[in-house]
PDB file of all heavy atoms in Angstrom:
ATOM      1  N   TYR N  39      12.347  13.734  14.716  1.00  0.00           N
ATOM      2  CA  TYR N  39      11.975  12.724  13.717  1.00  0.00           C
ATOM      3  C   TYR N  39      11.334  13.390  12.501  1.00  0.00           C
ATOM      4  O   TYR N  39      11.666  13.077  11.359  1.00  0.00           O
ATOM      5  CB  TYR N  39      11.016  11.703  14.334  1.00  0.00           C
ATOM      6  CG  TYR N  39      10.509  10.699  13.338  1.00  0.00           C
ATOM      7  CD1 TYR N  39      11.306   9.621  12.953  1.00  0.00           C
ATOM      8  CD2 TYR N  39       9.245  10.819  12.771  1.00  0.00           C
ATOM      9  CE1 TYR N  39      10.849   8.693  12.024  1.00  0.00           C
ATOM     10  CE2 TYR N  39       8.783   9.901  11.850  1.00  0.00           C
ATOM     11  CZ  TYR N  39       9.585   8.842  11.481  1.00  0.00           C
ATOM     12  OH  TYR N  39       9.135   7.935  10.559  1.00  0.00           O
ATOM     13  N   GLU N  40      10.406  14.302  12.730  1.00  0.00           N
ATOM     14  CA  GLU N  40       9.756  15.012  11.631  1.00  0.00           C
ATOM     15  C   GLU N  40      10.776  15.789  10.798  1.00  0.00           C
ATOM     16  O   GLU N  40      10.716  15.790   9.573  1.00  0.00           O
ATOM     17  CB  GLU N  40       8.687  15.976  12.164  1.00  0.00           C
ATOM     18  CG  GLU N  40       7.455  15.306  12.686  1.00  0.00           C
ATOM     19  CD  GLU N  40       6.637  14.655  11.595  1.00  0.00           C
ATOM     20  OE1 GLU N  40       6.356  15.310  10.577  1.00  0.00           O
ATOM     21  OE2 GLU N  40       6.284  13.476  11.755  1.00  0.00           O
ATOM     22  N   TYR N  41      11.713  16.451  11.444  1.00  0.00           N
ATOM     23  CA  TYR N  41      12.709  17.251  10.743  1.00  0.00           C
ATOM     24  C   TYR N  41      13.583  16.383   9.842  1.00  0.00           C
ATOM     25  O   TYR N  41      13.888  16.734   8.717  1.00  0.00           O
ATOM     26  CB  TYR N  41      13.572  18.014  11.745  1.00  0.00           C
ATOM     27  CG  TYR N  41      14.515  18.998  11.096  1.00  0.00           C
ATOM     28  CD1 TYR N  41      14.038  20.222  10.633  1.00  0.00           C
ATOM     29  CD2 TYR N  41      15.859  18.704  10.921  1.00  0.00           C
ATOM     30  CE1 TYR N  41      14.887  21.129  10.028  1.00  0.00           C
ATOM     31  CE2 TYR N  41      16.708  19.609  10.316  1.00  0.00           C
ATOM     32  CZ  TYR N  41      16.219  20.822   9.870  1.00  0.00           C
ATOM     33  OH  TYR N  41      17.051  21.705   9.260  1.00  0.00           O
ATOM     34  N   VAL N  42      13.969  15.225  10.321  1.00  0.00           N
ATOM     35  CA  VAL N  42      14.852  14.341   9.561  1.00  0.00           C
ATOM     36  C   VAL N  42      14.110  13.629   8.438  1.00  0.00           C
ATOM     37  O   VAL N  42      14.665  13.434   7.355  1.00  0.00           O
ATOM     38  CB  VAL N  42      15.528  13.318  10.507  1.00  0.00           C
ATOM     39  CG1 VAL N  42      16.255  12.244   9.742  1.00  0.00           C
ATOM     40  CG2 VAL N  42      16.473  14.033  11.453  1.00  0.00           C
ATOM     41  N   THR N  43      12.852  13.255   8.645  1.00  0.00           N
ATOM     42  CA  THR N  43      12.147  12.435   7.666  1.00  0.00           C
ATOM     43  C   THR N  43      11.296  13.219   6.669  1.00  0.00           C
ATOM     44  O   THR N  43      10.907  12.663   5.647  1.00  0.00           O
ATOM     45  CB  THR N  43      11.244  11.401   8.369  1.00  0.00           C
ATOM     46  OG1 THR N  43      10.302  12.086   9.183  1.00  0.00           O
ATOM     47  CG2 THR N  43      12.067  10.437   9.196  1.00  0.00           C
ATOM     48  N   GLU N  44      10.977  14.448   6.915  1.00  0.00           N
ATOM     49  CA  GLU N  44      10.179  15.238   5.983  1.00  0.00           C
ATOM     50  C   GLU N  44      11.002  15.572   4.730  1.00  0.00           C
ATOM     51  O   GLU N  44      12.220  15.476   4.736  1.00  0.00           O
ATOM     52  CB  GLU N  44       9.705  16.525   6.660  1.00  0.00           C
ATOM     53  CG  GLU N  44       8.622  16.291   7.694  1.00  0.00           C
ATOM     54  CD  GLU N  44       7.340  15.734   7.110  1.00  0.00           C
ATOM     55  OE1 GLU N  44       6.829  16.290   6.115  1.00  0.00           O
ATOM     56  OE2 GLU N  44       6.862  14.726   7.647  1.00  0.00           O
ATOM     57  N   PRO N  45      10.325  15.988   3.630  1.00  0.00           N
ATOM     58  CA  PRO N  45      11.052  16.315   2.400  1.00  0.00           C
ATOM     59  C   PRO N  45      12.151  17.351   2.633  1.00  0.00           C
ATOM     60  O   PRO N  45      11.969  18.297   3.393  1.00  0.00           O
ATOM     61  CB  PRO N  45       9.965  16.875   1.484  1.00  0.00           C
ATOM     62  CG  PRO N  45       8.707  16.283   1.999  1.00  0.00           C
ATOM     63  CD  PRO N  45       8.895  16.163   3.490  1.00  0.00           C
ATOM     64  N   LYS N  46      13.265  17.149   1.971  1.00  0.00           N
ATOM     65  CA  LYS N  46      14.411  18.043   2.105  1.00  0.00           C
ATOM     66  C   LYS N  46      14.413  19.144   1.047  1.00  0.00           C
ATOM     67  O   LYS N  46      15.110  20.134   1.157  1.00  0.00           O
ATOM     68  CB  LYS N  46      15.695  17.228   2.052  1.00  0.00           C
ATOM     69  CG  LYS N  46      15.824  16.339   3.291  1.00  0.00           C
ATOM     70  CD  LYS N  46      16.643  15.103   3.004  1.00  0.00           C
ATOM     71  CE  LYS N  46      16.660  14.165   4.172  1.00  0.00           C
ATOM     72  NZ  LYS N  46      15.398  13.545   4.498  1.00  0.00           N
ATOM     73  N   ILE N  47      13.613  18.931   0.011  1.00  0.00           N
ATOM     74  CA  ILE N  47      13.443  19.913  -1.058  1.00  0.00           C
ATOM     75  C   ILE N  47      11.945  20.012  -1.313  1.00  0.00           C
ATOM     76  O   ILE N  47      11.271  18.998  -1.475  1.00  0.00           O
ATOM     77  CB  ILE N  47      14.189  19.482  -2.337  1.00  0.00           C
ATOM     78  CG1 ILE N  47      15.681  19.272  -2.050  1.00  0.00           C
ATOM     79  CG2 ILE N  47      13.988  20.510  -3.439  1.00  0.00           C
ATOM     80  CD1 ILE N  47      16.454  18.661  -3.192  1.00  0.00           C
ATOM     81  N   VAL N  48      11.393  21.233  -1.347  1.00  0.00           N
ATOM     82  CA  VAL N  48       9.944  21.425  -1.459  1.00  0.00           C
ATOM     83  C   VAL N  48       9.604  22.489  -2.499  1.00  0.00           C
ATOM     84  O   VAL N  48      10.478  23.191  -3.007  1.00  0.00           O
ATOM     85  CB  VAL N  48       9.336  21.827  -0.091  1.00  0.00           C
ATOM     86  CG1 VAL N  48       9.494  20.715   0.916  1.00  0.00           C
ATOM     87  CG2 VAL N  48       9.957  23.103   0.440  1.00  0.00           C
ATOM     88  N   ASN N  82      14.961  22.720   1.895  1.00  0.00           N
ATOM     89  CA  ASN N  82      14.241  22.704   3.158  1.00  0.00           C
ATOM     90  C   ASN N  82      15.137  22.291   4.329  1.00  0.00           C
ATOM     91  O   ASN N  82      14.677  22.227   5.452  1.00  0.00           O
ATOM     92  CB  ASN N  82      13.046  21.755   3.037  1.00  0.00           C
ATOM     93  CG  ASN N  82      11.979  22.000   4.060  1.00  0.00           C
ATOM     94  OD1 ASN N  82      11.864  23.089   4.597  1.00  0.00           O
ATOM     95  ND2 ASN N  82      11.193  20.984   4.346  1.00  0.00           N
ATOM     96  N   ARG N  83      16.383  21.993   4.057  1.00  0.00           N
ATOM     97  CA  ARG N  83      17.351  21.599   5.085  1.00  0.00           C
ATOM     98  C   ARG N  83      18.669  22.306   4.780  1.00  0.00           C
ATOM     99  O   ARG N  83      19.137  22.291   3.642  1.00  0.00           O
ATOM    100  CB  ARG N  83      17.589  20.086   5.095  1.00  0.00           C
ATOM    101  CG  ARG N  83      16.357  19.257   5.364  1.00  0.00           C
ATOM    102  CD  ARG N  83      15.887  19.460   6.797  1.00  0.00           C
ATOM    103  NE  ARG N  83      14.782  18.596   7.131  1.00  0.00           N
ATOM    104  CZ  ARG N  83      13.511  18.930   7.043  1.00  0.00           C
ATOM    105  NH1 ARG N  83      13.158  20.119   6.629  1.00  0.00           N
ATOM    106  NH2 ARG N  83      12.570  18.083   7.389  1.00  0.00           N
ATOM    107  N   GLU N 146      11.934  14.252  -4.231  1.00  0.00           N
ATOM    108  CA  GLU N 146      11.639  15.256  -3.208  1.00  0.00           C
ATOM    109  C   GLU N 146      10.537  16.209  -3.655  1.00  0.00           C
ATOM    110  O   GLU N 146       9.707  16.637  -2.867  1.00  0.00           O
ATOM    111  CB  GLU N 146      12.904  16.051  -2.874  1.00  0.00           C
ATOM    112  CG  GLU N 146      13.998  15.223  -2.235  1.00  0.00           C
ATOM    113  CD  GLU N 146      13.709  14.796  -0.815  1.00  0.00           C
ATOM    114  OE1 GLU N 146      12.918  15.474  -0.124  1.00  0.00           O
ATOM    115  OE2 GLU N 146      14.261  13.781  -0.390  1.00  0.00           O
TER     116      GLU N 146
END
Side-chain angles (χ1 to χ4, degrees):
Y39 176 79
E40 288 291 311
Y41 187 77
V42 170
T43 59
E44 288 296 310
K46 292 153 186 67
I47 303 172
V48 296
N82 200 24
R83 300 292 185 266
E146 295 289 335

